[in-house]
Amino acid sequence: MTSVEDLSGSWELHGDGVAVPATVPGSVHTDLLRQGRIPDPFLDDNELAVAWVGRADWTYQRDVAWHGPEHERIDLVFEGLDTVARVDLNGTTLGETRNMHRTYRFDVTSLVGAGPQPLSVHFTSAYTEAERVKSLVGPRANAYPEPFQFIRKMACSFGWDWGPTLVTAGIWRPVRLEGWSTARLAAVRPLCTYAENAGKLDLTCEIERTQDRALRAQILLDGREITSLDLDTDAVRATLDIPGVTPWNPRGYGEPALYTLTVVLLDGDRELDRWERRTGFRSVEIDRSPDDAGTRFVIHVNGEPVFAKGVNWIPDDIFPSRMTRERYELRLREAANAGVNLIRVWGGGIYEDRAFYEVCDELGLLVWQDFLFACACYPEEEPLHSEVVAEARDNVTRLSPHPSLITWNGNNENLWLHGAMSWPDDLSWGEKYYLSVLPEIVAELDPSRPYQAGSPWSGSWEHEPNDPDHQTFHSWEVWNRQDYLHYRDSTPRFVAEFGWQAPPAWRTLRDAISDEPMLPDSPGVLHHQKAEDGNGKLARGLAPHFAAPESTEAWHYLTQLNQVRAVRTGVEHWRSHWPHTAGTIVWQLNDLWPVTSWAAIDGAGRYKPLYFALREMYADRALTIQRRDGGLVVAVLNDHAEPWTGPLRIERRDTAGRLVYSIIEKVEVAPRSVALIPVPNGDLLVACLDDQRALWFEAEEFADPGLTVTAEQVPGGLDVTVHATGLARDVLLQPDRVHPGAVVDKGFVTLLPGESTTLHVRAPAELDPGSVKDPWVLTDLASVLRSGSAE
């Protein structure tokens, strides 16, 4: 039986005149930070003060010994080395690495024994390697002034328009000694599909041997043997029908049923090795057929079309070794609780840890996985080509058990930007990867999942890659150059990226920035704004809707409100066009440090108001009022397996919110469909069906809403009740202004005259009810616009 000795834990780190204790998995930055050798790079402009770390060479050291049972073979296994490393054991070089995204295995049988042997992992700066490769293959264009396309490493560690430049190095995933005899399971690749009320398992097992013996593999599902395979060669493939299983379904479409699949490698009755994962059976297709409007892009799971209510995912920490299963589960449950059913793992980050995909499996979250290419021309020559192939084969195999993974995507924006930014094509730039190498690997190793060449991509060079009428589309003219109302100008087939910026929660911003006074354009605030002319775009985005804010607090409130209004405008417009528009993937769910960005959850894990708005606009049943053909309609959005029937109440109110008249219309909306109900124009329209409500403001008046606020102490926090005598637009309670650990259950709330709402504030400490009356804890749009400060 395979034996393992974990080598995670205590190591030593040496480099640039520094010698400190180190923790593996980890990184140089986290080790230096833990020992107080560098300042926190998340604070002020400390990012610049620690830039030297990424340009230095480093060595991790510890003694190792094999204390397990005697085996014919002892391997040293690294699940992740970041990035350019030489591995030495007792003075012997085992090998060199050039790829953060691969696993490495070295035979150390003759080098490791019962006594301790020195193990060293020498890391060369990623900058040194990138410049070396650049000198070999020549320069290539990219969207950022860093050489990330010359090295197989997390691209955004070199900085992005929402991230710091913190170029890491280290043993970033677990490391172990592994002892085995006779044979081991080198790879297991289960492709589980579902059709005609039965599951199908397409199973490939690859074997590494020390002896040529007749072996077999016992295959079990939930502990029950379903077959036994004779292993006459080093690779065997079997296709098995699995009757009686329940299909895995995405959120809102049924149970995400999972089964434990076990492969036991046997020599006679002696167990040599064991592989075990939770998996599920489902079929996945993407309808990319032509129609009169262009080319569809509709995800089908188990034969049923799914409207994708998605978010883009970036690494949740600039130092990904700090991620834990608990943190993955927290963030992914937050996505699910916001109504999300699809997570796109963006191509400038990493192939996430196994825990990420396991949690998505359990929650029924669909995963769209980019291969790791983003916003650049990538050389197709050696030494990169073979690394790309090895990396793709490694990760396609590693992620194959996960039913949540539904599509492989070749790259982020490279096919589009190559033409849009007039990047030269006299040198290789990555097209071969996306249109040949990667689809061939997926076709060989994972034909159960559809492959797409890129995002955006129109399907062929017959159309411009970012053509809204053909397949996937990224909407960035809005935000970069246009007001968010222009989202309504088009109906793309599938919106894979769009978004609007806002600063993080107030406490997150204040904790990261020591500027006094802290202003929208003070040095620390600008340092934590990485987008090109980001603050200028925020200001230009406010201008069509509000006067320039008079204080930092008003700027913070209004830019957060504008983010919510912008994203709501896009999602509700496009969702009302289902199935013509078959999905939206908001940029972005999360942040990896405290920054002004497009995220719904900020870098400290606090919810921006956008998070609560996502929960409303991605609800299975929702209402929205839209302009169609010169008039207004109520779009009744029913993404539910049952019809939605009932009395739709439509109210016309004046600008002060007073009722003018109301009508009731009986509606019956079929499952997974949208109904459009014409309504008259008016200054303020209100549509209500069951517990759902939609508002439409043709003209806006910001009179005093006459708010009264009462706060009651309850176990764990406060219940804050807000009553309005007038129209109260966009009431917001910011819980982090009461206590750094406080949370609330709602974002912006609009109250009609006479209405009340209760906001539930919870915190890890007792809260003073009077604190809700402190400046800017609770305010509303009229108060902000009247004075620029809370009243």
Side-chain angles (χ1 to χ4, degrees):
M1 181 67 180
T2 300
S3 306
V4 170
E5 283 198 21
D6 187 7
L7 299 182
S8 299
S10 296
W11 289 57
E12 293 180 356
L13 175 66
H14 300 265
D16 205 67
V18 173
V20 297
T23 299
V24 170
S27 72
V28 173
H29 285 85
T30 56
D31 290 327
L32 296 177
L33 188 59
R34 189 181 300 110
Q35 297 300 319
R37 295 301 187 100
I38 58 172
D40 186 345
F42 286 11
L43 303 182
D44 294 321
D45 63 354
N46 288 347
E47 168 199 355
L48 304 178
V50 304
W52 63 272
V53 176
R55 295 189 176 274
D57 298 338
W58 301 93
T59 298
Y60 282 80
Q61 296 178 341
R62 65 161 287 172
D63 288 342
V64 300
W66 177 252
H67 299 111
E70 185 176 347
H71 278 289
E72 296 171 350
R73 176 83 170 261
I74 308 294
D75 289 341
L76 175 62
V77 183
F78 292 94
E79 293 187 20
L81 291 170
D82 176 17
T83 294
V84 185
R86 188 185 80 244
V87 182
D88 293 342
L89 179 58
N90 199 21
T92 298
T93 296
L94 303 179
E96 297 182 346
T97 74
R98 295 283 187 280
N99 196 322
M100 179 181 181
H101 309 301
R102 291 178 56 189
T103 57
Y104 294 94
R105 178 179 291 266
F106 303 104
D107 181 356
V108 296
T109 311
S110 63
L111 297 174
V112 66
Q117 307 291 331
L119 172 62
S120 300
V121 184
H122 307 277
F123 288 96
T124 299
S125 166
Y127 281 109
T128 301
E129 172 68 4
E131 293 302 328
R132 183 186 77 85
V133 173
K134 182 179 178 181
S135 71
L136 292 174
V137 302
R140 297 293 194 282
N142 72 9
Y144 300 98
E146 293 277 334
F148 60 84
Q149 74 270 48
F150 297 103
I151 185 170
R152 297 308 300 158
K153 175 177 173 58
M154 185 173 87
C156 64
S157 66
F158 288 90
W160 221 260
D161 57 3
W162 34 255
T165 302
L166 293 168
V167 179
T168 52
I171 305 171
W172 77 289
R173 280 183 166 159
V175 54
R176 64 185 180 273
L177 289 172
E178 192 173 287
W180 56 279
S181 299
T182 306
R184 72 176 187 92
L185 292 165
V188 177
R189 190 168 59 254
L191 307 180
C192 299
T193 55
Y194 188 86
E196 299 178 354
N197 297 317
K200 180 169 287 188
L201 171 61
D202 183 349
L203 180 68
T204 301
C205 297
E206 297 178 8
I207 311 300
E208 185 177 10
R209 302 172 184 260
T210 60
Q211 298 183 41
D212 186 13
R213 294 178 60 84
L215 306 175
R216 65 188 179 95
Q218 183 185 34
I219 316 302
L220 303 98
L221 194 69
D222 277 359
R224 177 179 59 88
E225 182 175 330
I226 55 176
T227 195
S228 182
L229 305 175
D230 292 330
L231 303 176
D232 299 325
T233 63
D234 291 342
V236 63
R237 179 177 177 182
T239 301
L240 308 170
D241 291 326
I242 313 292
V245 295
T246 300
W248 183 94
N249 290 289
R251 291 187 67 79
Y253 288 76
E255 177 190 356
L258 294 172
Y259 297 86
T260 300
L261 178 65
T262 307
V263 179
V264 183
L265 180 63
L266 296 168
D267 180 5
D269 293 329
R270 182 168 63 102
E271 182 175 326
L272 301 177
D273 200 0
R274 176 180 290 252
W275 178 99
E276 189 167 276
R277 297 288 189 277
R278 296 276 279 167
T279 191
F281 297 85
R282 82 288 175 272
S283 63
V284 180
E285 296 177 335
I286 299 177
D287 179 2
R288 289 174 277 195
S289 61
D291 61 15
D292 291 342
T295 313
R296 300 177 178 91
F297 192 92
V298 185
I299 296 168
H300 289 246
V301 181
N302 300 326
E304 187 165 4
V306 175
F307 181 83
K309 295 180 282 191
V311 287
N312 283 274
W313 171 278
I314 65 171
D316 204 52
D317 198 314
I318 191 65
F319 305 123
S321 62
R322 297 198 293 201
M323 290 298 295
T324 63
R325 184 183 183 91
E326 292 73 23
R327 185 159 157 188
Y328 277 123
E329 184 160 6
L330 170 65
R331 198 67 72 239
L332 291 168
R333 284 193 179 277
E334 289 171 330
N337 290 339
V340 168
N341 65 11
L342 182 145
I343 307 282
R344 176 187 173 215
V345 182
W346 168 75
I350 58 176
Y351 306 100
E352 294 288 346
D353 185 78
R354 171 178 161 184
F356 172 93
Y357 303 93
E358 288 179 338
V359 174
C360 289
D361 294 341
E362 295 163 7
L363 295 177
L365 289 171
L366 304 172
V367 176
W368 158 329
Q369 177 68 57
D370 283 11
F371 285 103
L372 300 185
F373 302 88
C375 301
C377 294
Y378 283 80
E380 297 164 5
E381 301 91 337
E382 296 295 355
L384 288 178
H385 183 273
S386 58
E387 288 291 346
V388 167
V389 170
E391 167 192 318
R393 297 184 70 88
D394 189 333
N395 286 282
V396 169
T397 296
R398 179 174 72 91
L399 301 182
S400 64
H402 297 287
S404 57
L405 176 57
I406 59 145
T407 182
W408 292 99
N409 177 54
N411 73 88
N412 175 75
E413 298 191 339
N414 296 345
L415 292 164
W416 170 38
L417 293 181
H418 181 262
M421 299 188 74
S422 299
W423 287 342
D425 56 8
D426 56 335
L427 296 171
S428 67
W429 55 274
E431 181 184 22
K432 180 179 177 182
Y433 293 142
Y434 320 133
L435 301 183
S436 178
V437 174
L438 295 174
E440 289 173 3
I441 290 172
V442 172
E444 175 195 351
L445 301 181
D446 189 8
S448 71
R449 294 176 175 91
Y451 172 84
Q452 44 184 314
S455 185
W457 180 236
S458 60
S460 75
W461 288 117
E462 293 180 8
H463 307 286
E464 194 272 330
N466 202 33
D467 188 326
D469 294 330
H470 298 276
Q471 299 195 31
T472 54
F473 178 72
H474 289 195
S475 179
W476 287 117
E477 281 297 302
V478 175
W479 164 253
N480 281 321
R481 281 166 282 277
Q482 296 178 338
D483 180 57
Y484 62 76
L485 294 180
H486 286 280
Y487 283 138
R488 297 172 179 161
D489 295 346
S490 67
T491 53
R493 307 315 301 268
F494 190 103
V495 188
E497 278 191 24
F498 76 106
W500 199 271
Q501 269 202 351
W506 183 264
R507 174 53 57 186
T508 300
L509 199 63
R510 186 70 275 184
D511 284 350
I513 296 165
S514 61
D515 297 351
E516 291 296 348
M518 187 176 73
L519 304 172
D521 60 354
S522 62
V525 175
L526 290 179
H527 188 80
H528 289 253
Q529 162 63 278
K530 296 295 187 177
E532 182 180 1
D533 190 29
N535 272 23
K537 292 172 184 176
L538 285 173
R540 290 191 292 276
L542 287 175
H545 308 283
F546 308 112
E550 299 176 12
S551 67
T552 304
E553 291 83 358
W555 170 83
H556 183 262
Y557 170 96
L558 290 173
T559 50
Q560 296 231 19
L561 176 59
N562 229 34
Q563 181 184 41
V564 168
R565 290 190 176 188
V567 175
R568 186 186 297 278
T569 297
V571 168
E572 292 185 350
H573 166 68
W574 291 319
R575 190 175 171 186
S576 73
H577 284 273
W578 163 260
H580 176 93
T581 300
T584 58
I585 310 181
V586 175
W587 188 273
Q588 64 214 67
L589 174 68
N590 56 326
D591 268 327
L592 46 62
W593 80 312
V595 65
T596 295
S597 83
W598 299 261
I601 303 173
D602 74 20
R606 294 187 175 96
Y607 299 158
K608 293 158 72 167
L610 176 60
Y611 175 78
F612 300 102
L614 284 177
R615 190 172 64 191
E616 297 165 358
M617 58 185 99
Y618 275 167
D620 286 346
R621 287 176 169 169
L623 302 176
T624 178
I625 300 175
Q626 299 288 321
R627 191 174 296 283
R628 294 286 180 88
D629 302 324
L632 295 177
V633 298
V634 176
V636 186
L637 313 174
N638 184 27
D639 188 16
H640 196 279
E642 300 296 329
W644 192 8
T645 63
L648 174 67
R649 181 181 179 89
I650 301 167
E651 299 176 348
R652 181 177 177 184
R653 293 174 176 261
D654 63 20
T655 56
R658 294 182 292 263
L659 182 65
V660 177
Y661 69 82
S662 68
I663 58 175
I664 293 178
E665 184 162 343
K666 179 73 173 178
V667 298
E668 181 171 352
V669 185
R672 316 291 186 194
S673 67
V674 175
L676 304 179
I677 312 300
V679 295
N681 291 329
D683 294 329
L684 167 55
L685 296 179
V686 184
C688 302
L689 179 59
D690 294 340
D691 60 348
Q692 296 296 309
R693 182 164 83 175
L695 302 172
W696 175 273
F697 292 90
E698 192 69 42
E700 297 187 274
E701 181 177 295
F702 301 108
D704 184 351
L707 295 182
T708 59
V709 181
T710 59
E712 176 188 2
Q713 276 190 330
V714 297
L718 303 174
D719 283 353
V720 181
T721 299
V722 183
H723 179 78
T725 58
L727 176 62
R729 294 292 307 276
D730 301 303
V731 177
L732 180 67
L733 191 154
Q734 300 182 63
D736 53 292
R737 288 178 176 270
V738 176
H739 185 280
V743 295
V744 70
D745 63 337
K746 297 176 185 176
F748 288 107
V749 178
T750 291
L751 300 176
L752 299 175
E755 288 186 337
S756 300
T757 190
T758 298
L759 307 169
H760 304 287
V761 181
R762 299 296 179 261
E766 184 173 303
L767 302 179
D768 175 9
S771 63
V772 300
K773 300 293 183 68
D774 291 344
W776 290 99
V777 171
L778 190 146
T779 191
D780 66 284
L781 181 57
S783 298
V784 173
L785 295 182
R786 284 201 314 274
S787 63
S789 62
E791 294 186 345

